[in-house]
Amino acid sequence: MKIFLFGKLGELIGREVNFEPEPGTATISDVRQALARAHPAASDDLLSPRVRACVNDAMVSDRHPVAADDEIALLPPVSGG
Amino acid sequence: MADAVEARITDDALDPRAEFDAFLAALGGEGGVATFTGLARPSSIRGAAVERLFLDHHPVLTEQSVRQIAADARQRFGVSAVRVVHRIGEVGSGDAIVFVAAASAHRRAAFEAADYMMDRLKTQAVFWKREDTAIGSNWIEPTEADHADTQRWSD
């Protein structure tokens, strides 16, 4: 699956990650935990409830199921203006 | 006639005078226009000189969020036209980063619509803002005051 990262997370991990989920990776929460294990420097942000997840451009909860061909985005807290 | 709701993001320089002129040119009989221009501040909250801002964005959600905020302002305050233009990418210190305008028959609705759009742009629009200073870079999150400002509009 493709994971797109923005803001601070994009800087820490890269803007786009091709991620091969381990067997048993069923939800957004599983993806976040696997990414956090792979990127310990970013694990606080990856696991923070303030970082929201999107699947195919729609906001989803951590319990949302994931499929191998999903495009997942992880969005840190936003600020414009 | 221009769209009553115009919302865009741009990685070109933002010229608030040109935006104001274009907004005015599309009006038809309104009694007033309120505008606000946000400029990239030259110093950080800790006092360090800011060399530039960098605004990261999402290819779909950023423009969608800006458009939604503009459309909500138009509907909520009954203003006849709104315009929001927001920079993405690198923004030099002192440069315009955001422009909002609202036009209405009477002034109060225009003031309120502009105020509302700015509060939501600070806290809900899908941008990630990094300040680059001589002593390092920081990703900026909304402050408690920003959240309190947005909260004023909750029903």
Side-chain angles (χ1 to χ4, degrees):
Chain A
M1 63 184 61
K2 268 201 175 140
I3 303 180
F4 296 91
L5 300 130
F6 295 88
K8 184 182 177 188
L9 279 175
E11 198 167 80
L12 287 170
I13 298 175
R15 306 268 310 167
E16 188 178 328
V17 174
N18 278 312
F19 187 66
E20 291 307 320
E22 304 153 32
T25 303
T27 65
I28 289 290
S29 175
D30 296 338
V31 171
R32 287 163 74 126
Q33 288 176 39
L35 265 184
R37 284 192 295 275
H39 300 278
S43 79
D44 285 353
D45 290 293
L46 286 165
L47 300 177
S48 165
R50 303 177 65 226
V51 171
R52 308 279 307 275
C54 270
V55 173
N56 305 329
D57 297 334
M59 293 280 185
V60 297
S61 79
D62 267 5
R63 293 185 304 277
H64 189 85
V66 292
D69 58 351
D70 278 342
E71 291 196 341
I72 297 171
L74 293 177
L75 315 181
V78 295
S79 179
Chain B
M1 177 154 174
D3 280 346
V5 174
E6 176 157 346
R8 37 178 237 280
I9 55 176
T10 176
D11 55 8
D12 291 333
L14 196 176
D15 179 351
R17 291 180 192 84
E19 296 297 337
F20 180 60
D21 287 346
F23 187 68
L24 269 188
L27 298 182
E30 284 84 350
V33 174
T35 73
F36 175 84
T37 301
L39 306 173
R41 261 188 292 271
S43 61
S44 74
I45 209 161
R46 298 193 192 105
V50 175
E51 291 162 354
R52 78 188 76 76
L53 293 179
F54 174 73
L55 284 131
D56 194 8
H57 76 289
H58 183 283
V60 173
L61 299 176
T62 299
E63 188 148 4
Q64 205 173 73
S65 68
V66 172
R67 180 162 297 280
Q68 185 66 53
I69 289 166
D72 287 350
R74 178 164 185 260
Q75 185 178 30
R76 175 170 180 148
F77 300 98
V79 293
S80 54
V82 295
R83 175 176 293 226
V84 182
V85 186
H86 204 297
R87 284 290 307 271
I88 56 173
E90 287 193 359
V91 181
S93 181
D95 288 352
I97 181 168
V98 60
F99 172 88
V100 303
S104 67
H106 300 286
R107 71 182 181 283
R108 184 71 56 209
F111 278 129
E112 288 185 339
D115 198 13
Y116 169 89
M117 289 191 284
M118 280 309 305
D119 284 346
R120 287 192 58 196
L121 286 166
K122 294 293 271 191
T123 55
Q124 295 172 351
V126 180
F127 296 97
W128 297 275
K129 186 161 54 178
R130 189 187 69 209
E131 272 181 355
D132 295 341
T133 76
I135 54 170
S137 295
N138 291 304
W139 290 94
I140 308 299
E141 294 184 13
T143 63
E144 287 303 314
D146 291 332
H147 286 298
D149 285 344
T150 303
Q151 195 62 34
R152 295 183 300 144
W153 305 104
S154 62
D155 296 318

